[in-house]
Amino acid sequence: MTRPLTVAHRAGNALGTLRTAFELGADLVEADVHAYRGRLEVRHHKAVGPWLLWDNGQLVRRRDLHLVGVPELLAAANGDPGLMLDLKGIDPRLPKRLATVLAAVAPDTTITICTQHWWMLPAFRDTANLRLVLSAGSRRGLRRLRSRLRRRPAYGVSVHRRLLTPETVTELRQGSEVVLTWPVDTEADLADARRLGVDGVIGKDLGILQD
């Protein structure tokens, strides 16, 4: 059986876990990118006002975290084609700013761009070496995705595992090269992903991904 692509979920949000994920052989390492007050930040935390961030049921002060910047992340990745940037939030300035940074800092590096906000993706169509992935996490999103792929194929799609069947995966593959799914954080999740026939799995447990 062919080994699925492995995507290390959130591992790119800190430089230490970024390097660990690459060393363990992850095919893609995901980092979450937000636009905040004129700059790009790499974080999964959600902003709660100007000074606080929220993640996993806890509030933390922004000043207590070292938030990685996109240029710093790109430097740490050192040209590895396995970096995947997941665009978060709805700031309309995010895609253009990120496209500008990528063109200036890593113009020749292959990078995967993923988002549930598909209106952001046209900003990257003229940037070389980018692979665009459309994400869907709800039934409505999946319906839109199926319709979109019939009109305009994409490099890849990323769909929540509970929304998929083997037949749906086959259909999605007709309009995309790669079908990814999440969450895959246990052995049972991995077995289910194999049953579905997806091309790649997204999970936080690096041990399971490495196996």
Side-chain angles (χ1 to χ4, degrees):
M1 182 177 291
T2 302
R3 181 184 73 84
L5 296 171
T6 56
V7 184
H9 187 213
R10 304 188 193 179
N13 292 343
L15 301 187
T17 51
L18 172 79
R19 287 187 285 267
T20 297
F22 279 136
E23 290 170 0
L24 290 177
D27 297 298
L28 294 171
V29 180
E30 184 220 32
D32 300 302
V33 180
H34 295 254
Y36 181 77
R37 291 194 168 187
R39 65 179 183 271
L40 299 177
E41 293 180 342
V42 177
R43 57 177 165 84
H44 190 267
H45 297 70
K46 296 181 180 179
V48 183
W51 300 288
L52 296 176
L53 298 172
W54 173 271
D55 189 40
N56 290 329
Q58 292 185 326
L59 280 173
V60 295
R61 293 180 297 182
R62 179 182 292 274
R63 69 183 184 185
D64 292 338
L65 295 176
H66 171 67
L67 297 178
V68 178
V70 171
E72 185 181 5
L73 177 70
L74 294 171
N78 195 29
D80 194 299
L83 188 61
M84 181 167 123
L85 304 180
D86 193 0
L87 310 190
K88 300 292 190 179
I90 56 173
D91 192 318
R93 298 164 293 184
L94 170 56
K96 185 175 180 180
R97 284 178 176 168
L98 180 58
T100 299
V101 171
L102 295 179
V105 178
D108 300 318
T109 301
T110 297
I111 295 174
T112 302
I113 303 289
C114 179
T115 186
Q116 292 193 39
H117 307 299
W118 307 340
W119 55 265
M120 293 186 179
L121 296 178
F124 304 98
R125 288 220 173 93
D126 295 329
T127 306
N129 304 316
L130 296 187
R131 301 177 294 201
L132 305 182
V133 175
L134 285 68
S135 183
S138 67
R139 295 192 182 282
R140 178 177 179 271
L142 177 58
R143 288 195 298 269
R144 291 178 56 235
L145 181 60
R146 296 164 82 169
S147 176
R148 166 76 174 254
L149 293 178
R150 286 193 289 268
R151 294 179 284 108
R152 190 186 311 165
Y155 163 75
V157 297
S158 174
V159 180
H160 196 288
R161 188 166 48 83
R162 63 178 167 77
L163 302 173
L164 294 176
T165 66
E167 293 75 21
T168 304
V169 171
T170 298
E171 177 188 343
L172 293 173
R173 195 175 286 118
Q174 293 174 1
S176 63
E177 298 178 35
V178 176
V179 178
L180 306 174
T181 195
W182 90 93
V184 179
D185 294 322
T186 67
E187 295 288 353
D189 293 346
L190 182 58
D192 188 49
R194 289 188 178 278
R195 177 189 65 83
L196 293 169
V198 296
D199 303 298
V201 296
I202 303 172
K204 297 188 292 290
D205 191 320
L206 295 179
I208 289 177
L209 296 183
Q210 185 181 30
D211 292 341

